[in-house]
Amino acid sequence: MNNVKSVMSKLDAIKIDGIGLVAYAIMAILLVIIVNMGVLPDNMLGAIFVLVLMGDIFYYLGANLPVFKTYLGGGAVFTMFAAAILATTGIVPASVVKTAGSFTSDMGFIDFFIVSLITSSILAMDRKMLLKAAVRFIPVAFLSMAVCWFVVGTVGMLMGNGFVHSVMYVAFPIMAGGVGAGIVPLSSIYAHGLGGSAGTYLSQLFPATVLGNVVAIIAAGVISKTMVNSKWNGHGKMMRDENDAQAGEKKKLDFSNMKQLGVGLIMAMSFYMIGTGLNAVFPKINTYAFIILTVIVVKALGILPEYYEKSAVLFGQTVTTNMTHALLAGVGLSLLNLSVLAHSLNLTFVVLVLISVATIGLAAGIIGYWFGLYPIESAITAGFCNNSMGGAGNVAVLAASDRMNLIGFAQMGNRLGGAIMLVIAGFYISFFH
């Protein structure tokens, strides 16, 4: 009996995102039974149970596999691909995939996560540093995207793929800002300008977005882990002259005050409602662009009392700590279509996607350095995040590089840059066709 207790104690000492291995195994067995019985609740309760358990174990494995954790994106990539493989092969029943996908996208789990993270990350920053960093970051992101667009087109032309075709089906979709706010309206722009079905164009644009996101996640993980001791690594700070004000503020947070979590929740949702209302008045501008702008203005003016700022930061950090792995699993199950990606792979396409990610990362790092930013942080946020699948893609890139606090900058470049790409694509189609 003592031997059994000793073994159980040792197993339970292995923690999977805070859950002991024995407790996790019991929960996993319960999940398998419920799924096989066909009684998994088709609501947020069932979805959360599936995604948390799946996300935690996959992230744990990816973060601990020797080669994977350093060179292949670690837990973030492993979680997304493992979940996608289970969905594609049918190991996870279609009903479960539907429940998880509905919760992730239709019920707004992605929006909930990102809004909480944007609000907390921006409000946690030092006011002066935020303004200085934002003013420098935006031109870095736009210039990096311009360099990337030109290089992809040029390399495509040299490979016989044509400049126009390369930018239309690699550069534009990979930098359009994701799926819902990116390649969906981009496909409509193509259909309107070229004729044909928007759905047909969407299927041609989707692979670049997906593969670009995967390569960007891996690249972010590699440079953040292999250049740990480099002077170019800000370890989560954007500005090279940034002080420790943000770190100091985080230390003052009181996680024992549960009431502040509720206050932080409603603060984050309030900013979301402001963004939603402004988007209704100015529909051409993305909701997230308004959310980011509003939070920055509120922080810059110092009009939000410290209690509410800390509450929002506390809530955002709580959501990030507990739900990041679940979100990655949800993206893998419902948004990462491996069949579509596999059918689109050819040497020219893969090379152009690799060129796109490498170029925008290198350009953002160099230009960011000229503007006073840390090259690693600049490459990740102004570079790799602008080759991602929008909000969920940004989370994956930042999770792989352990820089979730930079989500505000990532979303800023991704949403504003993506909107500019859509405008340019419209003019481009009109001019060349």
Side-chain angles (χ1 to χ4, degrees), residues 221-274:
V222 169
I223 69 167
S224 63
K225 291 178 175 63
T226 58
M227 302 185 72
V228 175
N229 298 318
S230 171
K231 63 179 181 180
W232 295 345
N233 192 332
H235 301 284
K237 298 177 184 178
M238 285 294 297
M239 300 278 294
R240 293 207 304 275
D241 57 348
E242 186 173 347
N243 55 35
D244 291 325
Q246 182 174 331
E249 188 168 355
K250 285 184 179 179
K251 292 177 182 177
K252 298 176 185 176
L253 294 177
D254 182 9
F255 282 86
S256 66
N257 189 344
M258 293 297 102
K259 180 64 71 174
Q260 278 194 274
L261 288 176
V263 176
L265 165 65
I266 202 64
M267 288 301 303
M269 297 307 103
S270 295
F271 283 112
Y272 181 71
M273 294 306 164
I274 293 173

Side-chain angles (χ1 to χ4, degrees), residues 68 98 104 164 169 171 231 236 252 362:
F68 215 99
K98 176 178 175 295
T104 302
V164 174
Y169 294 100
K231 63 179 181 180
K252 298 176 185 176
L362 184 60

Side-chain angles (χ1 to χ4, degrees), residues 384-423:
F384 300 140
C385 283
N386 281 327
N387 270 194
S388 77
M389 294 173 61
N394 289 341
V395 171
V397 171
L398 297 177
S401 56
D402 193 25
R403 281 163 172 77
M404 294 290 278
N405 63 299
L406 300 180
I407 186 68
F409 291 103
Q411 286 289 91
M412 191 187 307
N414 193 272
R415 295 304 176 183
L416 297 178
I420 290 176
M421 279 292 132
L422 295 180
V423 174

Side-chain angles (χ1 to χ4, degrees), residues 265-290:
L265 165 65
I266 202 64
M267 288 301 303
M269 297 307 103
S270 295
F271 283 112
Y272 181 71
M273 294 306 164
I274 293 173
T276 300
L278 290 173
N279 173 253
V281 179
F282 306 99
K284 295 293 183 181
I285 302 176
N286 188 273
T287 299
Y288 281 110
F290 280 124

